[in-house]
């Protein structure tokens, strides 16, 4: 999942690592060069082996000997790279803003190319910069870790804004809990309702689905087929009927039968479509939802982010479901939607099967991005 983003993030890690090596060479302390060498006093140009070294050579090939041992004997035998390595391993290293400028610029480009919106990319880069600049600690084998931790924290902070646990909410809320799903056509609203129906049913909750998309031909049948397969009750009216009336009936049915949850499907709409938005407002008046969930597809990238912002402004949403993450290698929409709406991603759709629904957990998401 999100392989492009993953490789870009690891590219950034490597770039910073290279920067650190370069800087280590540049700031090599003079004393390691100034130490007088016994061998040089014997010969100006060539380095001769001491008897001790010759015997060591016989018993242990050079490659097997401890580098530290060699260095105390003869600094001149080590190239810059090795000295720099020793410096990095043994000394504290301070990262300055200048060191990071180029890699951070690359990081921002990489984030933008991964469909992460500009303001979100900037926030992540700023966070990484604040964490790394002035870092004063021993940097050696764990250089990559320091960079990775900074990136993880930056992304985690963006993703964990306003965490909302739907399962906890449903458990504690008075029943039936009414959830309305909104978004444009074809993004996966109906499929996500089917997946969630199964998920709630598997948890032992009783579910009613409301066929509130009376607009698109075949939409009612599509939901009915899912409801039948999953084994949940569907309330439906005729095509072109009033969605508010269907959804109202579904709630009445749920109340009468002490059902736990009503999941209401709606027709795809843009917030700019005044008639459809008025219809949605009517639904919310007649059959008030406890939660409104925005559904969009990861593959839409920045378009999905834009729509999330627009819907959230028109009808305040409680969270989002991002579908088709199985078909998206960029991963940016997930990060951006959470940041831009200030509302959490609740689930990721990861395929067309009923179980292809992943409850979104920021820590899980960040771990995925850095998994080998
Ligand atoms: N690969 C993949 N396809 C999905 C996912 N969610 C939905 N789809 C497909 O997207 C298409 C549109 O889904 P639908 O639920 O009808 O969208 P709606 O118009 O928003 O209700 C269908 O063919 C679904 O099978 C997903 O997570 N992964
Ligand atoms: Mg639909």
């Amino acid at each position: 999942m999100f392989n492009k983003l993953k490789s870009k993030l690891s590219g950034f890690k490597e770039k910073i690592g290279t920067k650190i090596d370069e800087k280590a060479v540049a700031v090599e302390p003079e004393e390691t060069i100034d130490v007088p060498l016994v061998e040089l006093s014997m010969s100006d140009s060539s380095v001769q082996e001491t008897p001790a070294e010759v015997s060591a050579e016989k018993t242990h090939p050079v490659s097997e000997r401890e580098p530290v041992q060699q260095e105390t004997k003869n600094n001149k035998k080590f190239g810059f790279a090795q000295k720099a390595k020793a410096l990095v391993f043994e000394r504290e290293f301070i990262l300055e803003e200048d060191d990071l400028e180029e890699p951070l610029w690359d990081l921002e480009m990489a984030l933008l190319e991964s469909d992460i919106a500009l303001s979100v990319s900037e926030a992540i880069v700023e966070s990484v910069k604040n964490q790394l600049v002035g870092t004063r600690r021993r940097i050696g084998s764990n250089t990559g870790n320091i960079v990775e931790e900074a990136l993880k924290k930056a992304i985690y902070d963006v993703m964990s804004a306003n965490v909302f646990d739907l399962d906890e909410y449903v458990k504690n809320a008075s029943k039936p809990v009414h959830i309305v799903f909104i978004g444009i056509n074809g993004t996966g609203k109906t499929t996500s309702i089917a997946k969630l129906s199964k998920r709630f049913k598997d948890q032992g909750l009783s579910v009613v689905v409301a066929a509130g998309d009376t607009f698109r031909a075949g939409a009612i049948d599509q939901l009915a087929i899912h409801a039948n397969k999953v084994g949940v009750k569907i309330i439906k009216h005729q095509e072109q009927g009033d969605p508010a009336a269907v959804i109202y009936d579904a709630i009445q049915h749920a109340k009468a039968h002490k059902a736990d949850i009503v999941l209401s499907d709606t027709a795809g709409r843009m917030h700019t479509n005044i008639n459809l938005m008025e219809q949605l407002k009517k639904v919310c008046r007649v059959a008030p939802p406890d939660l409104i969930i925005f559904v969009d597809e990861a593959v839409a990238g920045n378009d999905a982010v834009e729509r999330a912002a627009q819907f959230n402004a028109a009808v305040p949403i409680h969270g989002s479901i991002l579908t088709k993450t199985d078909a998206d290698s960029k991963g940016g929409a997930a990060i951006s939607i959470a940041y831009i709406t200030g509302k959490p991603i609740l689930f990721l759709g990861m395929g067309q099967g009923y179980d292809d629904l992943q409850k979104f957990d920021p820590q899980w998401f960040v771990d995925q991005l850095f998994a080998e």
Side-chain angles (χ1 to χ4, degrees):
M1 196 180 69
F2 303 146
N3 285 332
K4 268 193 192 154
L5 178 57
K6 274 169 81 168
S7 78
K8 284 191 191 292
L9 292 176
S10 77
F12 172 69
K13 253 170 66 180
E14 277 166 26
K15 185 119 190 169
I16 292 258
T18 311
K19 257 285 172 249
I20 287 170
D21 289 346
E22 279 170 12
K23 188 170 183 186
V25 172
V27 299
E28 184 189 20
E30 285 184 3
E31 64 265 30
T32 60
I33 294 168
D34 286 344
V35 173
L37 301 172
V38 180
E39 292 79 8
L40 286 180
S41 64
M42 296 193 289
S43 160
D44 291 342
S45 54
S46 66
V47 175
Q48 294 180 357
E49 286 171 328
T50 62
E53 274 184 301
V54 173
S55 62
E57 184 76 43
K58 281 180 184 144
T59 46
H60 305 284
V62 173
S63 59
E64 285 180 15
R65 277 187 265 149
E66 288 287 307
V68 177
Q69 255 183 334
Q70 283 196 18
E71 185 156 42
T72 53
K73 282 183 181 169
N74 187 351
N75 278 308
K76 202 67 182 175
K77 278 193 165 180
F78 291 86
F80 267 160
Q82 281 164 299
K83 282 179 186 163
K85 209 169 160 195
L87 173 76
V88 169
F89 272 97
E90 290 166 11
R91 293 176 150 260
E92 282 190 329
F93 196 89
I94 302 167
L95 280 173
E96 291 162 69
E97 204 162 333
D98 280 356
D99 304 321
L100 295 172
E101 199 176 322
E102 197 187 317
L104 284 176
W105 172 255
D106 290 349
L107 174 65
E108 187 165 344
M109 289 305 114
L111 296 175
L112 291 172
E113 283 167 15
S114 303
D115 279 349
I116 297 181
L118 180 64
S119 59
V120 188
S121 300
E122 285 172 351
I124 291 173
V125 167
E126 193 62 23
S127 164
V128 170
K129 184 165 112 184
N130 290 339
Q131 290 178 72
L132 289 181
V133 168
T135 300
R136 178 189 256 281
R137 58 181 111 179
R138 276 175 182 275
I139 296 181
S141 56
N142 65 348
T143 301
N145 290 352
I146 294 167
V147 178
E148 184 171 312
E149 288 311 315
L151 267 173
K152 275 184 168 176
K153 184 174 181 329
I155 297 173
Y156 179 85
D157 286 350
V158 164
M159 300 310 298
S160 58
N162 304 311
V163 170
F164 174 74
D165 188 323
L166 183 65
D167 293 322
E168 276 299 304
Y169 177 87
V170 167
K171 206 165 97 187
N172 300 321
S174 62
K175 310 290 187 307
V177 175
H178 179 212
I179 309 177
V180 169
F181 296 77
I182 62 171
I184 67 160
N185 243 331
T187 52
K189 288 179 297 301
T190 306
T191 310
S192 297
I193 288 172
K195 290 174 178 177
L196 275 173
S197 300
K198 171 153 192 309
R199 192 173 180 280
F200 284 129
K201 191 172 174 239
D202 289 349
Q203 292 174 355
L205 298 164
S206 53
V207 180
V208 175
V209 295
D213 181 358
T214 57
F215 189 71
R216 192 172 63 88
I220 297 173
D221 287 345
Q222 183 196 2
L223 186 65
I225 290 166
H226 283 312
N228 195 28
K229 279 193 188 157
V230 173
V232 295
K233 176 74 184 170
I234 179 170
I235 300 296
K236 55 183 182 171
H237 288 185
Q238 312 246 309
E239 264 179 30
Q240 308 305 320
D242 180 357
V246 188
I247 294 174
Y248 179 84
D249 279 358
I251 291 175
Q252 294 313 111
H253 179 94
K255 283 180 178 163
H257 294 82
K258 298 210 176 335
D260 297 306
I261 302 170
V262 177
L263 303 176
S264 294
D265 201 5
T266 63
R269 73 198 69 216
M270 268 308 286
H271 85 293
T272 44
N273 185 323
I274 292 167
N275 289 339
L276 284 176
M277 284 314 280
E278 281 306 312
Q279 187 193 60
L280 188 60
K281 284 179 187 155
K282 185 177 171 193
V283 167
C284 294
R285 269 198 317 274
V286 174
D290 296 301
L291 300 172
I292 299 177
I293 295 180
F294 170 73
V295 180
D296 215 314
E297 51 188 20
V299 279
N302 275 314
D303 289 345
V305 180
E306 187 65 23
R307 291 195 286 259
Q310 290 170 345
F311 268 101
N312 188 42
V315 198
I317 60 168
H318 294 86
S320 303
I321 294 179
L322 199 61
T323 63
K324 308 183 193 178
T325 56
D326 50 310
D328 175 51
S329 60
K330 292 181 171 177
I335 297 175
S336 300
I337 287 177
Y339 183 82
I340 283 187
T341 61
K343 309 289 167 56
I345 301 283
L346 300 173
F347 293 93
L348 297 180
M350 303 175 84
Q352 293 183 305
Y354 290 126
D355 291 322
D356 294 330
L357 186 74
Q358 169 74 40
K359 184 175 179 180
F360 189 87
D361 169 51
Q363 192 58 55
W364 168 86
F365 178 73
V366 169
D367 289 344
Q368 285 284 310
L369 286 183
F370 292 91
E372 292 295 320

